[in-house]
Amino acid sequence: MNRNYLFLTLIMLVLAVGLLFFHGQNKPKQVPPDRLLWDIIQPTRYVSTDNVAKWIIEKNPSIELIDVRGAGEYNAFSLPNAINVPLDSLITSSGSEYFGIPGVRVVLFANDDILSDQAWVLLRRLGFKGNYVMKGGLNRWIETIIKPQEPSESDPETAFKVYEFREGARLYFTGAKLSASSKAGKTKVVFKRKKKTVVASGGC
């Protein structure tokens, strides 16, 4: 099945669950379907793993990381200081308190884009703003931040700058040593080694 059709099917199921949950209660102001469909196709709702890594390193106080996977996967591995709000708990009273906070940008993530896309659509349908999806999820995080690929000699200078940042981020998040023979080492990486910390608990 085409991934886009699968995605739209899952979206409809999530929206149906959300409407059932609010049946008989004070329903929040929902975004009209035509506006929702427009928002869904906007690429600005995604953020890159590089940006997320930068925000974590800088300890940006306006960023809230929300892991929408189940508790088991969250406890096995997640991003530093991420809060666990599983998709099926997203619109409960305890789960929804993390969304719609003025001045706070929420970054949703899972192993890939499927769960976090569903979470984003559900939150947007219910009128919440300021939510983003980490493009590619933790799979992309591993590929780009934890195991970055060194560019070839024929790649443009921008590729080496990206790789340099990712190598510094890898050092920050894992404590691994940088290769002294790195081709991207035109300038020094300025990140300091960070002690391993326990992921903050949260969610439901």
Side-chain angles (χ1 to χ4, degrees):
M1 180 183 288
N2 185 290
R3 188 176 186 274
N4 291 331
Y5 288 119
L6 177 60
F7 175 52
L8 290 174
T9 301
L10 293 172
I11 288 173
M12 294 303 106
L13 288 173
V14 170
L15 291 177
V17 171
L19 292 175
L20 286 174
F21 175 81
F22 285 107
H23 180 70
Q25 303 182 32
N26 293 324
K27 295 183 179 181
K29 186 177 180 180
Q30 298 182 6
V31 173
D34 56 342
R35 177 65 192 183
L36 178 63
L37 290 174
W38 171 257
D39 290 344
I40 286 174
I41 63 173
Q42 301 308 308
T44 52
R45 69 188 185 92
Y46 290 102
V47 295
S48 69
T49 53
D50 293 306
N51 279 336
V52 173
K54 182 174 181 287
W55 293 332
I56 295 174
I57 291 169
E58 293 177 346
K59 296 179 172 61
N60 190 323
S62 69
I63 302 300
E64 187 78 83
L65 303 175
I66 302 291
D67 188 335
V68 297
R69 301 174 301 161
E73 289 183 292
Y74 167 78
N75 290 329
F77 172 74
S78 192
L79 298 181
N81 299 318
I83 298 170
N84 185 214
V85 185
L87 182 62
D88 58 4
S89 302
L90 204 66
I91 54 177
T92 62
S93 57
S94 59
S96 60
E97 66 184 11
Y98 296 105
F99 307 100
I101 302 172
V104 174
R105 288 178 290 176
V106 173
V107 178
L108 306 161
F109 67 92
N111 290 329
D112 49 32
D113 291 342
I114 296 177
L115 284 181
S116 46
D117 271 335
Q118 291 178 55
W120 186 93
V121 170
L122 179 56
L123 291 167
R124 188 70 193 99
R125 179 72 171 99
L126 296 177
F128 290 106
K129 298 180 180 180
N131 301 308
Y132 301 86
V133 171
M134 185 172 78
K135 187 66 176 175
L138 291 173
N139 293 335
R140 180 68 176 162
W141 176 269
I142 297 296
E143 292 173 0
T144 57
I145 305 302
I146 306 303
K147 299 178 180 179
Q149 296 296 311
E150 186 173 3
S152 64
E153 293 183 359
S154 60
D155 285 332
E157 184 178 353
T158 53
F160 286 93
K161 289 182 178 179
V162 170
Y163 177 66
E164 180 182 318
F165 167 77
R166 291 175 176 176
E167 277 287 83
R170 178 174 70 89
L171 174 64
Y172 181 91
F173 290 110
T174 68
K177 294 181 179 180
L178 288 171
S179 172
S181 60
S182 172
K183 295 176 183 178
K186 295 181 180 180
T187 58
K188 290 185 178 180
V189 177
V190 297
F191 301 118
K192 296 180 180 179
R193 181 169 179 167
K194 181 181 179 182
K195 294 180 179 178
K196 189 174 182 180
T197 57
V198 178
V199 176
S201 61
C204 305

